[in-house]
């Protein structure tokens, strides 16, 4: 994603897309200015399918944050990924629902810890009773649902929170004038900031 305001690119996604957003943001931290993640930490599967299924989803074993951080530092020093020092101060927004049956809370927590340990400016929304889905005000599914098309409505606007964390204050969309024979305009939903926990550097 390349916002109309700002001078950088931002990666975001949920589930496998969230893991991919984290991979991109860490490996190409000189290109990606920030990330929005609904998943777990960078390189949590360590290149193995079984490890990925157990550690990155069920949380039955730890993703090993310390080990992953050491790998990232080594690869950075070897030039295999961009310098991890680029992560300092970068905005990273993480979303996780308390009713997500596919990615456990501990996995998401360890993802936030990874970024915090590298000095990223993190925000963590982990209070919604959400299933495994992408939260949006216009979603067709209720908050706790885990089912296709994986778009859930929790009565708030985490997307707006994410954009605000990346770019600063985000204003509501202006109403679109009505045209003959068409419906009305649009509006942007907002959510209380008290539901987002900030950690890392301000």
């Amino acid at each position: 994603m390349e916002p109309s305001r700002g001078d950088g690119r931002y990666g975001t996604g949920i589930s496998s897309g969230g893991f991919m957003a984290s991979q991109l943001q860490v490996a190409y931290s000189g290109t990606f200015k920030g990330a929005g993640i609904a998943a777990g930490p960078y390189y949590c599967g360590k290149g193995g399918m079984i490890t990925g299924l157990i550690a990155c989803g069920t949380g039955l074993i730890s993703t090993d944050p310390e080990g992953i951080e050491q790998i990232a530092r080594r690869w950075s020093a070897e030039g295999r990924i961009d310098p991890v020092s680029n992560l300092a101060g970068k905005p990273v927004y993480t979303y996780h629902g308390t009713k997500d049956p596919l990615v456990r809370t501990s996995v998401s927590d360890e993802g936030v810890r990874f970024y915090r340990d590298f000095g990223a400016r993190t925000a963590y929304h982990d209070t919604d009773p959400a299933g495994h889905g992408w939260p949006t005000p216009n979603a067709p599914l209720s908050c706790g649902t885990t089912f296709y098309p994986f778009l859930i409505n929790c009565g708030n606007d985490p997307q707006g929170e994410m954009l605000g964390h990346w770019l600063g204050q985000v204003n509501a969309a202006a109403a679109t004038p009505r045209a003959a024979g068409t419906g009305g305009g649009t509006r942007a939903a907002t959510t209380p900031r008290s539901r987002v926990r900030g950690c890392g550097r301000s």
Side-chain angles (χ1 to χ4, degrees):
M1 173 183 180
E2 190 164 7
S4 59
R5 192 174 96 228
D7 59 354
R9 293 175 173 85
Y10 298 75
T12 186
I14 182 172
S15 195
S16 58
F19 285 107
M20 178 57 72
S22 181
Q23 311 310 304
L24 288 171
Q25 209 268 327
V26 175
Y28 299 98
S29 57
T31 298
F32 288 88
K33 300 296 186 181
I37 299 166
Y42 170 77
Y43 198 57
C44 76
K46 296 183 178 178
M49 182 178 295
I50 300 301
T51 301
L53 289 173
I54 297 175
C56 303
T58 67
L60 294 177
I61 62 174
S62 171
T63 62
D64 183 23
E66 297 90 348
I68 291 174
E69 289 175 19
Q70 290 176 4
I71 291 171
R73 288 189 176 94
R74 185 174 74 247
W75 286 355
S76 172
E78 294 171 353
R80 298 173 64 183
I81 62 175
D82 285 355
V84 291
S85 59
N86 289 340
L87 296 173
K90 293 286 181 70
V92 177
Y93 178 90
T94 301
Y95 182 89
H96 187 267
T98 61
K99 294 185 177 181
D100 188 331
L102 301 181
V103 177
R104 300 300 182 189
T105 299
S106 61
V107 177
S108 182
D109 290 348
E110 289 171 355
V112 174
R113 173 182 168 180
F114 174 91
Y115 279 105
R116 184 181 65 232
D117 287 351
F118 281 108
R121 181 168 56 85
T122 62
Y124 192 14
H125 187 143
D126 62 343
T127 57
D128 288 349
H132 192 73
W134 183 262
T136 178
N138 299 317
L141 301 179
S142 60
C143 187
T145 304
T146 299
F147 193 73
Y148 180 84
F150 301 99
L151 297 173
I152 55 176
N153 188 339
C154 295
N156 51 23
D157 185 16
Q159 294 175 103
E161 293 175 0
M162 178 179 68
L163 290 172
H165 186 61
W166 286 352
L167 305 172
Q169 181 64 40
V170 178
N171 296 323
T176 304
R178 293 193 180 200
T182 66
T186 60
R187 65 184 180 87
T190 59
T191 188
R193 290 189 177 271
S194 61
R195 308 190 82 177
V196 182
R197 293 193 291 117
C199 49
R201 304 197 300 187
S202 59

